[in-house]
Amino acid sequence: MEGFLSETLLLGVRVEERRLPSGLCGFYYEPARLIVLDESMPDFQRRCTLCHELVHARYHDNGCGTPYGVKAERRARRQTALRLIDPVEYASAEALCEGDAYRIACELDVTLQVVRDYQDMLHDTVHL
């Protein structure tokens, strides 16, 4: 998390933790340059969520409720997966875990969503 904390300083973003409604891990609020994370998340999920929200902050994204928001969300998910998953470590985990996405996520200490986003990118790359 240390690398992400220095990035928050570079981007001029504040990070707060508080109890969020069920199903909401975090969000970025551009007008206040604020990232809010759910305080009840385990460390691996907090790291993935912070990385994701930092992508939104880097691009000054305004929210998911607009047509642009869909593209911003896709970009944030792809960049999060690329930043948190090393290709060599992924290949090793995939072999060790026999392709099981949940086990790969546990092995790499990331969320299942990050692994699935990474796998989607691999699939898209193969089919180009």
Side-chain angles (χ1 to χ4, degrees), residues 90-105:
Y90 177 83
S92 176
E94 187 177 53
L96 178 70
C97 300
E98 300 173 342
D100 181 278
Y102 176 79
R103 290 176 48 212
I104 294 169

Side-chain angles (χ1 to χ4, degrees), residues 25 44-45 48-49 52 73 76-78 80-82 84-85 101-102 105-106 110-121:
C25 298
F44 77 95
Q45 189 176 15
C48 294
T49 303
H52 177 96
E73 189 62 20
R77 287 174 57 172
R78 291 175 68 93
T80 298
L82 288 170
L84 295 178
I85 296 181
Y102 176 79
C106 292
V110 296
T111 63
L112 182 57
Q113 185 65 61
V114 169
V115 168
R116 288 189 173 142
D117 291 339
Y118 190 82
Q119 289 173 332
D120 287 346
M121 284 186 293

Side-chain angles (χ1 to χ4, degrees), residues 39-52:
E39 66 188 11
S40 67
M41 290 186 294
D43 288 342
F44 77 95
Q45 189 176 15
R46 182 176 292 107
R47 183 172 54 87
C48 294
T49 303
L50 178 57
C51 183
H52 177 96

Side-chain angles (χ1 to χ4, degrees), residues 2-55:
E2 296 81 28
F4 294 127
L5 295 179
S6 63
E7 186 173 349
T8 63
L9 293 173
L10 287 171
L11 292 172
V13 175
R14 215 173 63 242
V15 178
E16 295 180 4
E17 293 190 44
R18 58 178 83 137
R19 191 69 149 161
L20 295 177
S22 180
L24 185 61
C25 298
F27 62 89
Y28 173 65
Y29 183 61
E30 170 63 20
R33 301 290 290 159
L34 174 67
I35 293 172
V36 178
L37 303 174
D38 186 347
E39 66 188 11
S40 67
M41 290 186 294
D43 288 342
F44 77 95
Q45 189 176 15
R46 182 176 292 107
R47 183 172 54 87
C48 294
T49 303
L50 178 57
C51 183
H52 177 96
E53 299 306 334
L54 282 168
V55 174

